[in-house]
């Protein structure tokens, strides 16, 4: 039996969208970008917890606790770090490949803090 995984699990943006939207999502999209990035544009159904707060010991928002977390950032680097940290803390966390750059490039919705069309900062 292996105690440690060699690679953090990952998911495409298309699969992340399917798993986190609609009437019965089976996972939560957790955006770990900082506040200004989040305000400029994020996925409509995402939950926000900046990596800096996660590293400082913040707990997950109640809506995300106990659920599979699909972790996203701008490009995939910070979300990989966050997914590893969350996994070490006992969460089921999966990195979203390519981050919000890939999300927007795939034509998936991006909204700003007011719910209007957003941009990736």
């Amino acid at each position: 039996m292996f105690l440690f995984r060699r690679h953090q699990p990952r998911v495409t943006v298309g699969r992340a969208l399917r798993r986190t939207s609609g009437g019965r999502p089976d996972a939560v999209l957790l955006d770990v970008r900082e506040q200004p990035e989040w305000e400029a544009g994020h996925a409509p159904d995402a939950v926000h917890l900046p990596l800096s707060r996660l590293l400082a010991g913040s707990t997950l928002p109640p809506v995300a606790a106990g659920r599979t977390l699909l972790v996203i950032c701008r490009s995939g680097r910070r979300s990989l770090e966050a997914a590893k940290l969350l996994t070490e803390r006992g969460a089921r966390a999966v990195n979203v490949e390519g981050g919000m750059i890939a999300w927007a490039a795939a034509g998936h919705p991006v909204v700003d803090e007011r719910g209007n069309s957003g941009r990736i900062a």
Side-chain angles (χ1 to χ4, degrees):
M1 178 165 98
F2 293 98
L3 297 176
F4 301 99
R5 291 184 179 169
R6 297 190 84 183
H7 303 286
Q8 185 66 33
R10 58 186 181 216
V11 65
T12 65
V13 293
R15 183 132 171 89
L17 176 65
R18 287 189 299 277
R19 291 193 63 191
T20 61
S21 61
R24 297 176 66 84
D26 73 339
V28 171
L29 187 64
L30 182 68
D31 192 321
V32 296
R33 295 174 302 144
E34 296 304 316
Q35 191 67 33
E37 296 171 288
W38 168 264
E39 290 172 358
H42 57 272
D45 295 320
V47 173
H48 187 224
L49 178 59
L51 178 59
S52 60
R53 287 188 25 219
L54 190 60
L55 290 170
S58 287
T59 58
L60 291 170
V63 69
R67 300 198 48 208
T68 298
L69 306 170
L70 305 185
V71 188
I72 197 165
C73 68
R74 184 174 187 275
S75 66
R77 185 190 59 77
R78 287 177 284 177
S79 56
L80 177 61
E81 182 180 352
K84 287 180 181 178
L85 176 64
L86 288 162
T87 299
E88 290 169 2
R89 292 182 182 175
R92 293 181 312 271
V94 179
N95 185 39
V96 179
E97 294 179 303
M100 286 301 297
I101 292 172
W103 181 277
H108 300 325
V110 176
V111 297
D112 68 11
E113 63 181 299
R114 291 179 210 90
N116 299 318
S117 181
R119 64 179 176 78
I120 307 307

